[in-house]
Amino acid sequence: MIWSLAGHLTQSLPGEAAHRLAVKALAHGLGPKCPPDHFGDALNTSVAGMDFANPLGLAAGFDKDAEAMEGAFGLGFGMVEIGTVTPLPQPGNPKPRVFRLGRDNAVINRYGFNNSGMEAAAGRLTRFRQGYHGKGVLGVNIGANKDSADRVQDYHACARRLAPFADYLTVNVSSPNTPGLRGLQEPEFLAEVLDAAREGMTAAGAIRPVMLKLAPDLDRAGLEAAVGVAVERGCSGLIIANTTISRPQHLKSQHRHEAGGLSGAPVFGLSTEMLHDCRRMAPEGFPLIAVGGVLDAATAYAKILAGGDLVQLYTGLAISDAGLPRRILNGLDQYLARDGFSTIADAVGAASSVDEACRISGVSLMG
């Protein structure tokens, strides 16, 4: 009850102020306590050689500067992905840059990779690794500086500096808020970026699984090409998908025309269709992490049925409260029992279509 009330109180604050308050609260150990392995063996899963106590993760964008990892794991998340981290500190785009779309269960942000840079992140990650002994898989999301003279080299630098602290790295070439960044999803540039990240990890002596995060705005040919490059260049999986620059016609909220990446309920259908397409494009068993419009247990379960080995959320936490991860995990446990699945892995891709995944889980394709 107290965390539900706290969630309602933060809704009275401007979007970015509420975000910063939530990070600081978790950094200071404030929040409900629910260890990732609280939910039993049915939610255990292994993906890309990593063991997860449960399939629910906190997506990048929430903890940009590696400040609140222990607190986030304490909410029940089986994985936490920090970042996006760039080589040099940068302030991001001018404020205001976060807009709640309350009538649409959505958010638009144009943060622009605001972060303190890889050296500050490395210091916090060092302290975390020395002091945290609980369960949880830690991802580090890396990107390029806005004014970089060599963006490909930025991925090499970040991978070299931060891979030793990560259980996996995510290469982010899909944020809509750094001009020109999405051009790195083109096959010729994408191969260079992935090779640079791999070479950076090799130089650090810390080879880690690499996930590639893609934009939901790729057309089918672009998506197929990106998946092909990811597989060819040895990626361990894909994260499907980042925020969208599209604006569905049904949006009702005042800020629906603000520039930036749209997330939350309106991107559920778009990202889930993309996820299902990727499941068919990628080799059998190729890991996929599903993100986009996960607001409750039903939407998380639909993502799994549509092909997601793991599920991440961020906007759901921003528009709900800190008890959301526990509610989702309890719900997933109940869905598995209801549908006769012994484990999460048994449910992955069990639906033949996105429509079937939504029907089984009881959600609308609109999210």
Side-chain angles (χ1 to χ4, degrees), residues 56 268 293-305 311 328 332:
L56 185 64
F268 175 79
V294 177
L295 305 181
D296 52 25
T299 45
Y301 190 47
K303 294 282 192 184
I304 291 164
L305 293 170
V311 178
I328 289 176
L332 286 177

Side-chain angles (χ1 to χ4, degrees), residues 36-55:
D37 57 354
H38 171 79
F39 300 92
D41 293 344
L43 296 187
N44 296 169
T45 191
S46 294
V47 177
M50 298 176 285
D51 294 328
F52 295 80
N54 69 66

Side-chain angles (χ1 to χ4, degrees), residues 278-295:
C278 284
R279 178 53 69 199
R280 289 178 288 181
M281 292 174 182
E284 184 176 355
F286 191 72
L288 300 178
I289 301 176
V291 59
V294 177
L295 305 181

Side-chain angles (χ1 to χ4, degrees), residues 153-209:
Q153 182 60 30
D154 281 8
Y155 290 93
H156 181 282
C158 276
R160 181 171 184 170
R161 186 69 181 97
L162 300 177
F165 306 105
D167 293 311
Y168 70 90
L169 283 183
T170 294
V171 170
N172 185 356
V173 290
S174 53
S175 169
N177 299 318
T178 296
L181 186 77
R182 285 188 168 190
L184 295 178
Q185 293 177 117
E186 296 293 328
E188 62 271 29
F189 300 121
L190 184 55
E192 290 184 39
V193 168
L194 293 174
D195 287 348
R198 176 75 55 183
E199 290 162 7
M201 292 191 300
T202 301
I207 302 298
R208 302 289 187 263

